[in-house]
Amino acid sequence: MKLLVCGGAGFIGSNFVRLRVRDHGDDVVVLDKLTYAGRRENLHDTLDQVRFVHGAIEDPDAVADAIEGVDAVVNFAAETHVDRSIADPDAFLRTNAIGTYVLLEAARAAGVRFLQVSTDEVYGSIEEGSFTEESPLQPSSPYSATKTGADLLVASYFHTYGLETVICRGSNNYGPYQYPEKLIPLMVLNALHGDKLPVYGDGMQVRNWLYVEDFGRGIGHALAHGAPGEVYNCGGPDECPNIEVVERIVSLTGNDASLIEHVTDRPGHDRRYSLSSEKLRALGWEAQVHFAEGLEQTVAWYRENAWWWEPIRSGDYREYYERQYGRALG
Ligand code: NAD
Ligand code: DAU
């Protein structure tokens, strides 16, 4: 297939591009704005095998250039960090809502299949049981509200224009090349440096952890076998409270639990996410990596790839970290 992968220089997008080029021999065009979270380094071993277009999904000219001759569009491009959306939602609306609209228009003009990469956060929080694709959409943060808006727009293009759309909603991903603003890489890098580990509130919030390659395979399944207009959940095999995730990282890095510091909770913090993935399983997908194994591999990857994270830790990320945690951690 010839795929346009938007946001292919980010965490999940770059792992997906690697998987498609390596295992499927796909011809891939990457369209990416290269925000703080998008880096050519994420594609260091694959960049020479793809066509890279540096541009924004909300720019119709860049999109028209990138979409030329492709069979399908897979949209990962987004502002993705909940804490940043709370501090400043502006870019979230532009990219996640307007950007998706511009891409949908281009896919409609080109008549190609459109896969929207979405998130379990569109359903909000669930105390018990798991969300199915029929669960109501009740997003809590500006991030998840813009992702929900995008999902509704995608659905409208199926109903109104007959565009072949598929939505794939993933749970919390982890693995190599994840920007260290997110829980797991933040804790791993802090632990490797002997820095404090800032746990929001009581740390009993639960996430449904999905190894990034499992999500990439799930998206591939939904793209190849999903029915037009349908939504497919793609959840990880294991759930874990945040405090236990951090304790496991403390132990895998040979540290002491005294590094853990409970800090002020995130406003509007969702207590628990959990996805039922029966519908995607019926298409033949199954998660292959359990959390214990995937977390060990992920810690090892960060240990062995200082070349990847050193420039991040010494760059703009420091300012972000100061703003987000400086006061709480003294
Ligand atoms: P990320 O922040 O690591 O990467 C986002 C990528 O999008 C970056 O390469 C960035 O440069 C690019 N981008 C941002 N704005 C853009 C724009 N206007 N035009 C073009 N490119 C732009 O994000 P991620 O964690 O890899 O998430 C990818 C997708 O998966 C997102 O749509 C997110 O909502 C979804 N998702 C993420 C998770 C998770 O746990 N991280 C789980 C489920 C779904
Ligand atoms: O569920 C899928 C979503 O997962 C994606 O749609 C989002 O793009 C992605 O960012 C992620 O959102 P979360 O808010 O769940 O992930 P984050 O890594 O920011 O936080 C995970 C949990 O850890 C959450 O309960 C907040 C908590 N946390 C996070 C950070 C960064 C802490 O306790 N301390 C921290 O410093």
Side-chain angles (χ1 to χ4, degrees), residues 79-83 118-121 143 147 170-173 178 181-184 186-187 198-201 203 205-207 209 242 263 266 269-270 273 320 325:
E79 288 291 336
T80 61
H81 193 40
V82 173
D83 292 329
S118 184
T119 167
D120 56 5
E121 298 202 14
Y143 160 70
K147 290 295 290 185
S171 60
N172 279 67
N173 277 228
Q178 187 170 29
E181 65 193 350
K182 307 281 170 33
L183 179 75
I184 288 182
L186 185 146
M187 296 297 170
V199 171
Y200 296 162
Q205 305 83 3
V206 173
R207 295 295 183 262
W209 293 101
N242 294 338
V263 299
R266 172 186 280 176
H269 200 167
D270 285 334
Y273 299 140
Y320 164 77
Y325 301 98

Side-chain angles (χ1 to χ4, degrees), residues 267-289:
H269 200 167
D270 285 334
R271 199 70 183 161
R272 177 170 172 264
Y273 299 140
S274 179
L275 284 182
S276 159
S277 311
E278 289 310 314
K279 196 170 162 185
L280 191 59
R281 275 207 199 94
L283 295 186
W285 173 84
E286 196 67 58
Q288 292 174 12
V289 183

